[in-house]
Amino acid sequence: KAGVTQTPRYLIKTRGQQVTLSCSPISGHRSVSWYQQTPGQGLQFLFEYFSETQRNKGNFPGRFSGRQFSNSRSEMNVSTLELGDSALYLCASSFQGAFEKLFFGSGTQLSVL
Amino acid sequence: TQLLEQSPQFLSIQEGENLTVYCNSSSVFSSLQWYRQEPGEGPVLLVTVVTGGEVKKLKRLTFQFGDARKDSSLHITAAQPGDTGLYLCAGTGNAGGTSYGKLTFGQGTILTVHP
């Protein structure tokens, strides 16, 4: 059974640009969550999608957005990149997203110059 | 806002030593999960504790959930170099929409076990 796949693994952007990250969950999983990991703040919850609907959202500015497709694949977008957006972005999937074991991908390392 | 304070932040020990990592909060959590993360990878779940006072063992690792479900600990006996990594505790909130997919993570403990 394939794990959670995130692409790309590494990304370098400059301030002001926008970026789109992709996440393919484990087959059969309908919930996809996104987290930002930085050395200073640790892992912080961005949002969660289930059946193409955002059910939960963390405390991030509107520049951070996401969506989920009918096959449960998810994308997150960050517009007008800032230096502080440099981080490891992790995607996690589960069957229903409530009090369950989360399976994390290896992440996308984003560097903003 | 639920917060989890994890300590210590860094731990450097010799092979064969024992260690304990603590995870504390002023909030009650429905469950506490412990993850281990290696460089360049995502966190991998080690265990979930749900009931206050619960103790779970995974080989040389012992996990405990506090009676009031506000704190947890991870104890490793006879640490080995293969235990090296980032250990994270994470709490799930109470029932309701604000809990979907959301884990509240501690800052993590970077453990280094020297041969």
Side-chain angles (χ1 to χ4, degrees):
Chain A
K1 194 174 188 181
V4 178
T5 304
Q6 290 189 247
T7 56
R9 282 281 273 154
Y10 303 94
L11 212 44
I12 299 175
K13 293 285 186 180
T14 56
R15 277 181 300 174
Q17 287 186 311
Q18 75 164 20
V19 66
T20 299
L21 313 181
S22 179
C23 172
S24 293
I26 291 173
S27 178
H29 285 190
R30 296 168 65 190
S31 170
V32 173
S33 301
W34 288 89
Y35 288 80
Q36 181 195 66
Q37 185 174 27
T38 59
Q41 299 297 318
L43 274 130
Q44 293 186 292
F45 173 75
L46 282 155
F47 29 65
E48 187 261 4
Y49 286 86
F50 182 86
S51 291
E52 303 178 65
T53 300
Q54 186 184 89
R55 292 193 302 186
N56 202 1
K57 187 177 185 300
N59 297 321
F60 278 81
R63 299 184 297 106
F64 292 83
S65 63
R67 59 177 175 169
Q68 187 180 35
F69 302 95
S70 58
N71 61 358
S72 294
R73 191 178 71 85
S74 178
E75 289 181 346
M76 69 163 280
N77 183 276
V78 188
S79 63
T80 319
L81 284 166
E82 301 177 359
L83 295 179
D85 296 333
S86 294
L88 179 66
Y89 289 89
L90 292 160
C91 159
S93 77
S94 66
F95 283 109
Q96 296 186 5
F99 313 114
E100 297 172 277
K101 175 178 181 178
L102 294 185
F103 293 82
F104 284 87
S106 297
T108 293
Q109 183 66 55
L110 172 66
S111 297
V112 182
L113 307 178
Chain B
T1 303
Q2 294 180 310
L3 295 173
L4 274 170
E5 293 186 6
Q6 196 171 333
S7 63
Q9 195 174 350
F10 301 95
L11 208 45
S12 180
I13 61 172
Q14 294 296 127
E15 182 175 1
E17 293 184 2
N18 301 332
L19 66 111
T20 302
V21 178
Y22 299 93
C23 188
N24 297 295
S25 176
S26 58
S27 304
V28 175
F29 288 93
S30 296
S31 68
L32 239 295
Q33 300 179 352
W34 285 90
Y35 289 82
R36 180 172 163 228
Q37 184 178 18
E38 299 196 34
E41 300 296 329
V44 175
L45 181 67
L46 295 173
V47 79
T48 301
V49 284
V50 180
T51 306
E54 183 176 4
V55 177
K56 279 192 175 179
K57 292 193 175 185
L58 186 66
K59 296 182 180 178
R60 294 177 293 101
L61 279 60
T62 302
F63 305 85
Q64 187 162 6
F65 201 11
D67 291 340
R69 292 188 290 138
K70 292 182 179 181
D71 55 86
S72 181
S73 64
L74 156 61
H75 182 80
I76 301 179
T77 304
Q80 299 175 0
D83 295 328
T84 294
L86 173 66
Y87 289 81
L88 296 155
C89 64
T92 59
N94 296 315
T98 58
S99 296
Y100 290 126
K102 180 179 180 180
L103 294 175
T104 298
F105 280 89
Q107 286 291 89
T109 295
I110 298 175
L111 170 65
T112 304
V113 183
H114 302 280

